[in-house]
Amino acid sequence: MVQIGDTIPSATFAYIPYTPELEDIAACGAPSKLSTDSWKGKKVVLFAVPGAFTPTCHVSHLPSYVKHYSELKAKGVDEIVCIATNDMFVMSAWGRANGTADKIIMASDTDAKFSAALGHTVDLSGAGFGTRTGRYALVIDNLKVVVLEVETNPSAMEVTSAEHILSKL
Amino acid sequence: MMSAQVGNKIPDGSFPYIPYTPGLADGKSCGVPSKVTTDDWKGKRVVIFAVPGAFTPTCHVSHLPGFVSKYDELKAKGVDVIACLASNDHWVMSGWGRVEGVEDKILMLSDVDGAWSEKLGLKRPDGRTKRYAIIIDDLVIKSLEVSWHALFLSQIAMDTALMRILGGKG
């Protein structure tokens, strides 16, 4: 289990970089990769959700980060990243459905590898969803975990909301 | 093992999905999960088109809008149910359907783990469904178009399926 003070595991996430043409939901964008190496020297807020377009995540989680974007940036956050096990096309579409534009990088934690390395996955095979990321939020400073919040109930959003993370910055 | 052939009965299947209700239109609320089973299709004419992934290129740009625009013609040809199938979960399928404005015209079904498509011999090695269109009459396969190629030729397979139904040959 990852702890505060640890260096984050190295990882690469598939994602579709935002471009203005993507405002047309029918456009698909160009796949790319986001590496944790790119976070050297940066302050990054990363939050993970069990699934795109699912209740809780969709209704409250992602919108809270969109809403508090400016405040997060004002606290020195360089990048805000949302991950789930959904593929990058689904993540891109979910972001666009929530108006994330270029504010939040919507990335795919394929097979929950990064989340598994942190010790935060949830087995939803019983519901037919396979292994998903848990619901957690990290503040990473120059690749070190400085804030770690984990929802003990993956359907709730209390300590992983943008509001709560802001209070920790 | 390929079991999908014209004249075969389709395998049993159960697909999670989120039924459309007008409250879902604003894209923010999530709906209530339910299931469609192949038993529901007894005595009915059903058109299913399966795609490797929601929101992916080709799928997103070409197929779903095509079936939405042909909805009235398909119903006029006696099609009772039009369904889109992919291995994405039902929340993603519902989100995709709402983004494309399908409303209650097309059932956005989740083929969990590609299991039903696998019974038809139509699951890809990566776990996703192949791209195919199938016409079913009272649980018997009447027509099957499978795209063995990506992109360009897949559009031809889908158009062929549509023409077959609309031309009364399916």
Side-chain angles (χ1 to χ4, degrees), chain A residues 25-28 52-55 58-59 86-87 89-90 93 96-98 127-129 132, chain B residues 27-30 54-57 60-61 88-92 95-96 98-99 112-113 128:
Chain A
I25 194 67
C28 295
F53 293 104
T54 67
H58 186 48
V59 175
N86 301 93
D87 67 50
F89 295 109
V90 171
R96 284 182 276 162
N98 278 279
F129 296 144
R132 299 280 177 131
Chain B
K28 297 282 189 297
S29 65
C30 296
F55 296 112
T56 66
H60 187 44
V61 174
N88 299 93
D89 67 49
H90 55 270
W91 300 112
V92 170
W96 187 32
R98 281 182 279 158
V99 160
V112 178
D113 296 327
R128 299 213 179 210

Side-chain angles (χ1 to χ4, degrees), chain A residues 20-82:
Chain A
E21 55 139 27
L22 290 179
E23 284 303 324
D24 173 5
I25 194 67
C28 295
S32 185
K33 284 195 190 315
L34 174 67
S35 161
T36 45
D37 288 347
S38 68
W39 295 344
K40 279 190 188 116
K42 289 186 182 171
K43 181 176 272 196
V44 175
V45 167
L46 180 147
F47 62 104
V49 296
F53 293 104
T54 67
T56 309
C57 317
H58 186 48
V59 175
S60 2
H61 214 150
L62 184 53
S64 84
Y65 280 87
V66 175
K67 186 169 153 208
H68 292 284
Y69 173 77
S70 313
E71 296 161 73
L72 287 159
K73 295 295 264 181
K75 291 265 189 173
V77 173
D78 295 298
E79 212 162 281
I80 304 170
V81 182
C82 172

Side-chain angles (χ1 to χ4, degrees), chain A residues 98-109:
Chain A
N98 278 279
T100 52
D102 57 349
K103 298 184 164 69
I104 301 182
I105 295 179
M106 305 295 296
S108 176
D109 184 11

Side-chain angles (χ1 to χ4, degrees), chain A:
Chain A
M1 283 261 171
V2 68
Q3 316 230 24
I4 294 184
D6 286 353
T7 298
I8 50 162
S10 193
T12 304
F13 307 100
Y15 83 115
I16 300 186
Y18 177 79
T19 53
E21 55 139 27
L22 290 179
E23 284 303 324
D24 173 5
I25 194 67
C28 295
S32 185
K33 284 195 190 315
L34 174 67
S35 161
T36 45
D37 288 347
S38 68
W39 295 344
K40 279 190 188 116
K42 289 186 182 171
K43 181 176 272 196
V44 175
V45 167
L46 180 147
F47 62 104
V49 296
F53 293 104
T54 67
T56 309
C57 317
H58 186 48
V59 175
S60 2
H61 214 150
L62 184 53
S64 84
Y65 280 87
V66 175
K67 186 169 153 208
H68 292 284
Y69 173 77
S70 313
E71 296 161 73
L72 287 159
K73 295 295 264 181
K75 291 265 189 173
V77 173
D78 295 298
E79 212 162 281
I80 304 170
V81 182
C82 172
I83 62 172
T85 54
N86 301 93
D87 67 50
M88 59 182 155
F89 295 109
V90 171
M91 292 303 282
S92 167
W94 187 39
R96 284 182 276 162
N98 278 279
T100 52
D102 57 349
K103 298 184 164 69
I104 301 182
I105 295 179
M106 305 295 296
S108 176
D109 184 11
T110 311
D111 297 326
K113 285 204 190 91
F114 178 74
S115 301
L118 295 174
H120 291 294
T121 57
V122 57
D123 183 1
L124 296 176
S125 312
F129 296 144
T131 299
R132 299 280 177 131
T133 74
R135 192 185 306 275
Y136 62 87
L138 302 174
V139 178
I140 305 163
D141 211 336
N142 195 24
L143 303 181
K144 282 213 177 343
V145 176
V146 296
V147 174
L148 169 63
E149 296 288 356
V150 183
E151 298 290 352
T152 43
N153 169 6
S155 320
M157 186 190 70
E158 286 153 22
V159 297
T160 59
S161 68
E163 291 88 349
H164 187 79
I165 293 299
L166 267 171
S167 73
K168 298 285 207 158
L169 285 168

Side-chain angles (χ1 to χ4, degrees), chain B:
Chain B
M1 185 194 356
M2 188 83 167
S3 79
Q5 298 197 53
V6 172
N8 282 6
K9 185 165 182 269
I10 52 166
D12 287 340
S14 178
F15 311 101
Y17 84 117
I18 300 187
Y20 176 79
T21 51
L24 293 181
D26 69 4
K28 297 282 189 297
S29 65
C30 296
V32 179
S34 185
K35 276 193 196 319
V36 164
T37 76
T38 43
D39 286 347
D40 299 331
W41 297 339
K42 280 190 187 121
K44 291 189 178 171
R45 170 169 276 203
V46 177
V47 172
I48 300 174
F49 58 106
V51 294
F55 296 112
T56 66
T58 308
C59 314
H60 187 44
V61 174
S62 331
H63 297 283
L64 196 46
F67 279 87
V68 174
S69 70
K70 293 268 192 266
Y71 176 78
D72 293 330
E73 293 173 68
L74 287 163
K75 294 298 257 181
K77 285 282 178 180
V79 173
D80 296 297
V81 176
I82 306 168
C84 174
L85 199 62
S87 57
N88 299 93
D89 67 49
H90 55 270
W91 300 112
V92 170
M93 293 303 281
S94 170
W96 187 32
R98 281 182 279 158
V99 160
E100 294 285 357
V102 309
E103 294 180 345
D104 57 350
K105 297 184 163 69
I106 301 181
L107 295 182
M108 304 297 292
L109 305 179
S110 171
D111 187 7
V112 178
D113 296 327
W116 190 73
S117 301
E118 185 170 24
K119 290 184 201 172
L120 292 169
L122 295 172
K123 179 171 157 177
R124 292 171 13 160
D126 67 3
R128 299 213 179 210
T129 73
K130 289 193 174 171
R131 192 185 310 278
Y132 62 91
I134 188 169
I135 303 169
I136 304 162
D137 246 337
D138 195 18
L139 304 182
V140 174
I141 300 171
K142 289 298 188 193
S143 168
L144 177 63
E145 291 292 331
V146 183
S147 173
W148 301 103
H149 303 271
L151 301 170
F152 176 63
L153 289 177
S154 70
Q155 185 59 44
I156 292 179
M158 286 304 188
D159 288 343
T160 303
L162 273 175
M163 282 179 343
R164 187 168 283 179
I165 301 165
L166 298 173
K169 291 192 174 73

